[in-house]
Amino acid sequence: LESRPSNTACAIPYAVGDANFDSETTIADVLALVDFILEETVPSAAAFNNCDINRDDALNIADVVMIVDIIAGTGTARVSGNGSMALVDLTADYQSSELLINLDYDGALKGMQFDLTYDPELVTVGAPSLGLLQDNVMITFNKVQDGLMKIVLADLEGEIIESTEKGFIKIPYSFSGNILDISSLSISDIFVSGPKGVIADVASRTVSADVKLVPGVFALHQNYPNPFNSNTVINYTLETQQELKIIIYDINGRKVKSY
């Protein structure tokens, strides 16, 4: 069978970056794309194609930046300062119980994304936030599964994000292990975008950080093994770093050794 000829087009034209197929590119499409990146929702083939602005067969922060530039206008898309190198590291602040994502970028920052992995049996992580609060800058996340959090950061008006080299992003955490436990958290799949969705080369000084129980008071713990033959281990905890002297006595009260 053959259908009759028709002058009516069957395809509906959609705007570039139109993730929700309403024939307009708006902030709603940016949020839909962020949900795709965070794996909150799965894009259809058509939505993927519409959101893959740079045609690299991947949806990431570069596409977010380019859609925001489309919405904001070509003027903000021409911001100078494409960076070529970004240094990222991860540290743990035991006093505040926060993970610090530190960024040193040599260009105009427009967006960033990364994955955070951790041991959910020992560590609980909270919502990430900017060390320096800024209007129109969105930082959002999704706990894809136990022990894996995806994080996306972007300016929604096409402006430049101010970055502080120390504590650019802060993530609160709590540690549920005992005094002898140590747990490692790490960041991976890091993308840092400058203007026009240009992705910088990322070098990581430290991609993991260890967290452990920080005591609030001095404590001297039971030695092990006990009883023992020639060697035993004595654990102690201090509230702050300070000089310590340990004196060991035998069962009769005689001084055996000091450290």
Side-chain angles (χ1 to χ4, degrees), residues 17 19 61 113 156 202 208 215 218 247:
I61 191 63
Q113 76 177 74
L156 299 182
V202 175
S208 64
F218 167 78
I247 303 174

Side-chain angles (χ1 to χ4, degrees), residues 40-85:
E40 292 271 12
T41 56
V42 178
S44 65
F48 187 102
N49 185 66
N50 262 16
C51 292
D52 185 15
I53 310 300
N54 56 9
R55 296 294 181 257
D56 64 352
D57 293 323
L59 299 182
N60 55 42
I61 191 63
D63 300 299
V64 173
V65 169
M66 296 175 78
I67 293 181
V68 169
D69 281 342
I70 291 171
I71 298 169
T74 56
T76 53
R78 290 173 183 160
V79 175
S80 61
N82 283 331
S84 59
M85 178 62 68

Side-chain angles (χ1 to χ4, degrees), residues 7 38 56 70 85 93 108-109 144 182 203 207 239 243 245:
N7 293 325
L38 293 176
D56 64 352
I70 291 171
M85 178 62 68
D93 185 336
L109 180 65
V144 180
I182 296 177
V207 294
E239 183 178 5
E243 291 187 4
K245 185 175 183 180

Side-chain angles (χ1 to χ4, degrees), residues 2-206:
E2 184 177 343
S3 63
R4 294 180 179 180
S6 172
N7 293 325
T8 304
C10 296
I12 301 174
Y14 293 109
V16 175
D18 182 14
N20 57 10
F21 303 108
D22 62 357
S23 299
E24 292 183 313
T25 303
T26 65
I27 197 65
D29 299 299
V30 175
L31 299 179
L33 171 55
V34 169
D35 281 347
F36 297 157
I37 295 171
L38 293 176
E39 298 181 13
E40 292 271 12
T41 56
V42 178
S44 65
F48 187 102
N49 185 66
N50 262 16
C51 292
D52 185 15
I53 310 300
N54 56 9
R55 296 294 181 257
D56 64 352
D57 293 323
L59 299 182
N60 55 42
I61 191 63
D63 300 299
V64 173
V65 169
M66 296 175 78
I67 293 181
V68 169
D69 281 342
I70 291 171
I71 298 169
T74 56
T76 53
R78 290 173 183 160
V79 175
S80 61
N82 283 331
S84 59
M85 178 62 68
L87 298 176
V88 180
D89 64 21
L90 173 67
T91 59
D93 185 336
Y94 290 108
Q95 296 301 317
S96 63
S97 294
E98 291 179 318
L99 299 171
L100 305 180
I101 310 295
N102 307 310
L103 173 66
D104 184 3
Y105 178 53
D106 64 357
L109 180 65
K110 304 295 288 291
M112 180 179 180
Q113 76 177 74
F114 59 91
D115 291 353
L116 173 69
T117 56
Y118 56 96
D119 182 352
E121 294 186 0
L122 294 177
V123 178
T124 302
V125 296
S129 62
L130 281 175
L132 177 63
L133 295 180
Q134 301 169 58
D135 292 337
N136 304 311
V137 177
M138 171 191 69
I139 181 166
T140 185
F141 68 97
N142 180 32
K143 292 182 179 179
V144 180
Q145 61 189 44
D146 288 342
L148 174 60
M149 176 187 285
K150 288 183 174 290
I151 300 167
V152 171
L153 165 75
D155 185 279
L156 299 182
E157 291 196 350
E159 302 299 332
I160 298 172
I161 302 171
E162 295 183 49
S163 62
T164 54
E165 183 175 345
K166 181 70 173 178
F168 173 52
I169 297 174
K170 298 181 178 182
I171 305 174
Y173 73 88
S174 60
F175 183 75
S176 57
N178 61 44
I179 196 64
L180 300 178
D181 289 328
I182 296 177
S183 186
S184 181
L185 300 91
S186 62
I187 53 176
S188 60
D189 293 334
I190 307 167
F191 293 88
V192 176
S193 178
K196 302 180 183 179
V198 176
I199 297 295
D201 292 329
V202 175
S204 300
R205 288 172 289 208
T206 307

Side-chain angles (χ1 to χ4, degrees), residues 179-180 221-228 231-236:
I179 196 64
L180 300 178
H221 302 281
Q222 176 65 51
N223 67 300
Y224 68 92
N226 183 36
F228 64 95
N231 294 291
T232 190
V233 175
I234 303 174
N235 285 298
Y236 61 88

